[in-house]
Amino acid sequence: QVQLVESGGGLVQAGGSLRLSCAASGLTFSWFAVGWFRQAPGKEREFVAAIDWSESTFYADSVKGRFTISRDNAKITVYLQMNSLKPEDTAVYYCAADRFTSAPRVASMTSHNYWGQGTQVTVSS
């Protein structure tokens, strides 16, 4: 059974940092690209960042230069380091995994193989 479990969310002041983790189990992790998405209240879910099997990365324009995605295949975990957080970054953050997919393609796909349950990030002004 495949599971993706996000953690690391919380409440932070604007300008602060958080690191989210997406821990996977039940899959051959090195075969998968992993993306982070977020959904704010009343808004559609949007792409944030992705990393593929070759560790190529792709970012939404809104987070470039502030967020960094990385993966540790030994720990079967993908991280999202979020710096210089803004109130508009407030959302539930989800990770998704897709088999044999490139990082840019993760951003454009309308469905994904597996999803986590999400972790709340709240940035106060």
Side-chain angles (χ1 to χ4, degrees):
Q1 181 181 357
V2 175
Q3 277 194 312
L4 299 177
V5 179
E6 300 97 334
S7 62
L11 173 64
V12 64
Q13 288 189 330
S17 298
L18 283 174
R19 188 176 81 156
L20 306 183
S21 298
C22 172
S25 61
L27 49 75
T28 305
F29 189 64
S30 59
W31 293 357
F32 283 77
V34 176
W36 283 97
F37 297 79
R38 64 188 182 187
Q39 188 166 21
K43 296 187 177 181
E44 291 189 353
R45 189 174 297 183
E46 65 175 2
F47 168 77
V48 175
I51 186 167
D52 64 27
W53 62 272
S54 70
E55 301 198 17
S56 294
T57 59
F58 188 73
Y59 295 92
D61 287 344
S62 59
V63 306
K64 277 181 185 175
R66 300 189 298 124
F67 291 11
T68 302
I69 190 170
S70 62
R71 67 190 295 158
D72 185 334
N73 286 343
K75 294 183 178 179
I76 322 177
T77 301
V78 168
Y79 303 99
L80 184 68
Q81 178 67 44
M82 305 187 297
N83 298 328
S84 303
L85 282 161
K86 304 175 182 180
E88 51 264 44
D89 294 317
T90 295
V92 177
Y93 283 70
Y94 301 88
C95 62
D98 295 289
R99 191 180 297 111
F100 300 130
T101 305
S102 68
R105 173 134 175 83
V106 170
S108 62
M109 291 168 62
T110 56
S111 64
H112 301 272
N113 293 149
Y114 305 105
W115 283 99
Q117 84 290 345
T119 186
Q120 176 71 48
V121 171
T122 303
V123 184
S124 63
S125 57

